[in-house]
Amino acid sequence: MTANLSTILSAAGAGFVLVRPPGEQYRNQNGEQVTATGKEAKGAGWQRRALTLAEAHAHARRGGNVGLLGGHGGLILIDLDRDRDGGLAAWPELAETVEIYRDSATDRSKFIVRVVGDLPPSVKDHDSGTEILAAGTQGVIAGVHNSGARIQFRGDRIIEVDAMRVAAFWRQRTGTDLGHAGHHHEDPGPADAEAVQRSQALVERVLEL
């Protein structure tokens, strides 16, 4: 993670997640040996445990990817898997906030925004390729994509919005209502997701023994 991005996120009070790099071998929650694609978070209960910038940097130096913990400090990611330019046309202010991208997929981007007030829900619409990464999620912001491309960023600040603006963008992109999450900033994820991580950790420990 570059010094500039670190400075911006540190000033914003971001929380971080350790993410497995592409190609890393590990056992999933079913005890199966699998290969990481570069998006899989490490550590039980990561949805509720915001790691520090120092921990993120140490993991990156060991070759790992780094994720931004959705919801922590009000920060969320607007993830566009397609039609980035269309997304900017629908929400021009996104051009003023930090953007995560890679040169090998110019039609895809993640935009980091700070939500003032209650958070929107974490949700994905496959048809439009639009995803809101809020509480209980993480989005990779530094490291290497599965394609081998380096994950990059541009922008020097994070804009502030409210959940209504996010909902309006969601409706424009998907034609559906976003709904309400009811989570505050200090409540970063559902308990069932944490339980899955605890189970995975237990399986890994049993297999080690």
Side-chain angles (χ1 to χ4, degrees):
M1 190 155 53
T2 67
N4 288 343
L5 181 58
S6 297
T7 299
I8 296 168
L9 293 176
S10 179
F16 302 94
V17 177
L18 308 186
V19 180
R20 299 179 189 277
E24 180 176 293
Q25 298 291 310
Y26 72 102
R27 294 191 182 277
N28 64 16
Q29 62 191 40
N30 297 319
E32 302 165 332
Q33 187 81 11
V34 295
T35 303
T37 65
K39 297 181 178 181
E40 297 83 357
K42 297 182 66 172
W46 61 263
Q47 299 91 340
R48 295 180 177 273
R49 181 170 177 255
L51 299 183
T52 65
L53 181 61
E55 290 172 302
H57 274 303
H59 181 65
R61 285 194 296 269
R62 294 192 295 268
N65 285 356
V66 175
L68 179 73
L69 181 59
H72 185 79
L75 298 178
I76 69 169
L77 298 103
I78 309 297
D79 189 357
L80 305 182
D81 280 342
R82 67 173 72 97
D83 192 22
R84 168 195 175 273
D85 292 344
L88 287 174
W91 192 351
E93 292 80 9
L94 288 180
E96 302 173 12
T97 199
V98 170
E99 178 182 2
I100 307 298
Y101 71 98
R102 51 190 168 91
D103 289 335
S104 62
T106 57
D107 203 34
R108 299 183 174 192
S109 281
K110 296 184 185 76
F111 298 89
I112 303 174
V113 302
R114 182 194 296 281
V115 177
V116 179
D118 285 344
L119 296 174
S122 299
V123 64
K124 182 172 185 176
D125 180 73
H126 293 278
D127 291 338
S128 67
T130 306
E131 187 170 9
I132 308 299
L133 296 170
T137 68
Q138 61 88 19
V140 178
I141 58 170
V144 179
H145 185 262
N146 200 30
S147 65
R150 175 66 57 178
I151 297 169
Q152 304 182 68
F153 90 100
R154 52 182 158 237
D156 57 10
R157 71 187 187 99
I158 296 173
I159 64 172
E160 292 190 348
V161 302
D162 59 27
M164 292 182 62
R165 184 64 187 91
V166 178
F169 176 72
W170 181 265
R171 169 164 279 283
Q172 189 165 354
R173 288 278 291 185
T174 70
T176 63
D177 289 329
L178 181 58
H180 302 281
H183 293 301
H184 295 285
H185 297 163
E186 66 271 19
D187 181 14
D192 58 342
E194 185 177 0
V196 169
Q197 290 295 319
R198 286 199 302 268
S199 298
Q200 180 177 340
L202 179 59
V203 169
E204 291 177 352
R205 179 59 179 157
V206 169
L207 290 170
E208 288 174 1
L209 293 174

